[in-house]
């Protein structure tokens, strides 16, 4: 598998438009609050940011939050983003703001895809996780209405101890909704996320087995977030099953697009106040778009350059034959060890090279 170079431009840019949100999710990365921060990027600053992102190439542009719908200028900014040629997606929260008019507004603004979160297959499990009654029903409404008006969708699910045994039920909902992509997030202990909700390294492998098996027959694509070692798992399975033919039958295009992408490597996150991070789950800033060029920070900041250098990885990640394809979650390494170059503590794989300490 050929690795792309992400030294000059990211594949994916995520902008946290606001941290305001009416939900209070147990795992929230942003520890979202009910009200907007007065120091958020203004409309003009946001447009300038979008211009610079476009000047870097053709990355996928994600408007996230909090809840982007908390910004009254959201539709203006979405239209501006799509109008300058960015592939634009939005991840609204499933609250009363996500009504038919909002979803239809996404279409008029040129949004390429809407992503919604689904973390349980019924009201009790999902609403209990999101801590707001009605969120499950609102999510299903959004998926159904988007399908009816022709807006492509994706479903984001965070795997935790609360739902790891109900993933098949979630996959069934993704299938029935006709979503294009199931984006499966693996917990990083930051924000409100609790360490006790995370899975063990061996349980990660069990989930990988389920995702890989599902990918062979599902009518939707599957990708993982903060589980870079799923790529290693897929590569191992393909080798066992017999090469190119098996690859073509197991979501090969998605894995190919993800190959080598990691925190700060093909990926950049801009906070609601303009801070530039390698990931929303890795709270180490390299600058601010109000005072610095995003392109310059991404290309030249020591933090980003380190994260794009596999030779700097420590422990077994540094010695692993899959380090260019995978590289481990830098966010999880930082959250659990304080060192973003350390081994991913939730990977059970032992490299073929001489044994090293994790």
């Amino acid at each position: 598998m050929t690795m792309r170079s992400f030294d000059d431009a990211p594949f994916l840019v995520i902008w946290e438009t606001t941290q305001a949100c009416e939900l209070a999710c147990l795992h929230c990365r942003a520890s979202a609050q009910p009200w907007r921060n007065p120091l958020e990027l203004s409309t003009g600053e946001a447009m300038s940011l979008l211009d610079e992102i476009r000047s870097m190439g053709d990355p996928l542009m994600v408007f996230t939050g909090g809840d982007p719908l908390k910004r009254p200028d959201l539709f203006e900014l979405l239209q501006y983003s799509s109008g300058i040629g960015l592939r634009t997606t939005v991840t609204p929260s499933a609250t009363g703001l996500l009504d038919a008019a909002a979803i239809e507004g996404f279409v008029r603004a040129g949004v390429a895809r809407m992503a919604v979160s689904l973390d349980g297959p019924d009201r009790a499990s999902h609403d209990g996780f999101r801590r707001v009654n009605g969120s499950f029903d609102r999510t299903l409404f959004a998926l159904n209405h988007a399908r009816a008006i022709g807006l492509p969708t994706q479903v984001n699910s965070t795997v935790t101890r609360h739902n790891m045994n109900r993933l098949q039920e979630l996959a069934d909902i993704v299938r029935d909704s006709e979503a294009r992509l199931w984006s499966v997030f693996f917990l990083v202990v930051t924000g409100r996320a609790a360490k006790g909700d995370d899975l063990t390294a061996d349980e990660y492998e069990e989930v990988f087995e389920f995702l890989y098996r599902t990918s062979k027959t599902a009518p939707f694509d599957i990708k993982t977030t903060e589980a870079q070692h799923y790529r290693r798992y897929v590569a191992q399975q393909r080798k066992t099953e017999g090469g190119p033919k098996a690859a073509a039958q197991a979501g090969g295009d998605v894995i190919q697009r993800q190959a080598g992408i990691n925190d700060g490597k093909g990926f950049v996150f801009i906070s609601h106040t303009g801070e530039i991070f390698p990931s929303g789950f890795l709270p180490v800033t390299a600058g601010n778009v109000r005072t610095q060029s995003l392109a310059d920070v991404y290309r030249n900041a020591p933090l980003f350059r380190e994260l794009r250098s596999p030779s700097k990885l420590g422990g077994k990640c540094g010695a692993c034959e899959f380090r260019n394809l995978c590289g481990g979650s830098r966010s999880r390494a930082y959250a659990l060890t304080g060192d973003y170059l350390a081994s991913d503590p939730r990977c059970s794989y032992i490299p073929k090279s001489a044994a090293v300490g994790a």
Side-chain angles (χ1 to χ4, degrees), residues 16-96:
E16 176 191 65
T17 58
T18 181
Q19 285 193 341
C21 183
E22 294 175 15
L23 302 181
C25 307
L26 292 175
H27 71 298
C28 183
R29 165 203 59 77
S31 297
Q33 307 298 319
W35 310 109
R36 293 179 60 198
N37 187 325
L39 298 180
E40 287 173 6
L41 295 183
S42 67
T43 303
E45 288 173 324
M47 287 180 173
S48 295
L49 171 63
L50 293 167
D51 285 336
E52 182 165 21
I53 292 167
R54 184 67 180 94
S55 75
M56 297 173 72
D58 185 30
L60 181 63
M61 181 67 215
V62 180
F63 286 66
T64 188
D67 183 5
L69 285 167
K70 282 286 195 175
R71 285 190 65 122
D73 60 356
L74 175 64
F75 294 98
E76 179 184 3
L77 292 173
L78 290 170
Q79 186 169 17
Y80 187 83
S81 178
S82 63
I84 61 175
L86 288 170
R87 295 172 295 156
T88 303
T89 68
V90 64
T91 61
S93 297
T95 72

Side-chain angles (χ1 to χ4, degrees), residues 41-198:
L41 295 183
S42 67
T43 303
E45 288 173 324
M47 287 180 173
S48 295
L49 171 63
L50 293 167
D51 285 336
E52 182 165 21
I53 292 167
R54 184 67 180 94
S55 75
M56 297 173 72
D58 185 30
L60 181 63
M61 181 67 215
V62 180
F63 286 66
T64 188
D67 183 5
L69 285 167
K70 282 286 195 175
R71 285 190 65 122
D73 60 356
L74 175 64
F75 294 98
E76 179 184 3
L77 292 173
L78 290 170
Q79 186 169 17
Y80 187 83
S81 178
S82 63
I84 61 175
L86 288 170
R87 295 172 295 156
T88 303
T89 68
V90 64
T91 61
S93 297
T95 72
L97 295 176
L98 187 58
D99 57 13
I103 298 168
E104 291 159 14
F106 294 152
V107 174
R108 289 193 297 273
V111 167
R113 181 178 292 181
M114 177 187 73
V116 293
S117 294
L118 186 67
D119 297 299
D122 52 31
R123 293 185 184 93
S125 58
H126 178 82
D127 290 358
F129 193 73
R130 297 277 157 182
R131 299 204 292 188
V132 172
N133 290 334
S135 178
F136 178 79
D137 289 339
R138 179 64 58 175
T139 297
L140 294 191
F141 162 78
L143 287 169
N144 290 332
H145 191 66
R147 177 178 59 189
I149 64 174
L151 175 62
T153 58
Q154 78 178 52
V155 173
N156 298 341
S157 300
T158 299
V159 179
T160 68
R161 199 151 296 288
H162 299 277
N163 63 8
M164 68 170 293
N165 294 319
R166 306 194 70 180
L167 295 179
Q168 182 60 63
E169 295 169 86
L170 283 169
D172 291 343
I173 294 176
V174 177
R175 179 200 63 216
D176 293 345
S177 74
E178 299 182 14
R180 304 283 182 86
L181 176 71
W182 190 20
S183 185
V184 182
F185 288 65
F186 286 73
L187 198 67
V188 174
V189 183
T190 188
R192 292 197 192 104
K195 191 173 181 179
D197 291 337
D198 200 4

Side-chain angles (χ1 to χ4, degrees), residues 108-306:
R108 289 193 297 273
V111 167
R113 181 178 292 181
M114 177 187 73
V116 293
S117 294
L118 186 67
D119 297 299
D122 52 31
R123 293 185 184 93
S125 58
H126 178 82
D127 290 358
F129 193 73
R130 297 277 157 182
R131 299 204 292 188
V132 172
N133 290 334
S135 178
F136 178 79
D137 289 339
R138 179 64 58 175
T139 297
L140 294 191
F141 162 78
L143 287 169
N144 290 332
H145 191 66
R147 177 178 59 189
I149 64 174
L151 175 62
T153 58
Q154 78 178 52
V155 173
N156 298 341
S157 300
T158 299
V159 179
T160 68
R161 199 151 296 288
H162 299 277
N163 63 8
M164 68 170 293
N165 294 319
R166 306 194 70 180
L167 295 179
Q168 182 60 63
E169 295 169 86
L170 283 169
D172 291 343
I173 294 176
V174 177
R175 179 200 63 216
D176 293 345
S177 74
E178 299 182 14
R180 304 283 182 86
L181 176 71
W182 190 20
S183 185
V184 182
F185 288 65
F186 286 73
L187 198 67
V188 174
V189 183
T190 188
R192 292 197 192 104
K195 191 173 181 179
D197 291 337
D198 200 4
L199 311 185
T200 66
D202 288 341
E203 287 170 334
Y204 271 55
E205 298 292 310
E206 293 176 21
V207 175
F208 292 168
E209 190 279 331
F210 169 78
L211 295 178
Y212 182 72
R213 175 165 35 87
T214 302
S215 74
K216 292 185 175 185
T217 58
F220 49 84
D221 290 331
I222 296 174
K223 72 177 286 289
T224 60
T225 295
E226 297 302 343
Q228 287 83 347
H229 44 320
Y230 177 59
R231 304 170 205 158
R232 179 264 304 161
Y233 181 91
V234 170
Q236 290 176 293
Q237 299 307 308
R238 289 176 180 168
K239 183 175 181 180
T240 299
E241 294 171 2
K245 184 176 180 180
Q249 294 173 341
D253 289 345
V254 174
I255 297 298
Q256 180 71 45
R257 290 196 298 271
Q258 284 189 279
I261 296 176
N262 209 321
D263 303 337
K265 183 182 181 184
F267 190 103
V268 64
F269 179 96
I270 300 101
S271 82
H272 62 300
T273 57
E275 294 293 317
I276 303 167
F277 296 100
S279 163
F281 300 101
L282 179 50
V284 181
T285 183
N288 191 296
V289 298
R290 284 183 161 133
T291 57
Q292 294 161 276
S293 158
L294 174 65
D296 183 57
V297 170
Y298 177 82
R299 292 166 183 163
N300 301 312
L303 171 63
F304 279 80
R305 292 176 70 89
E306 273 194 316

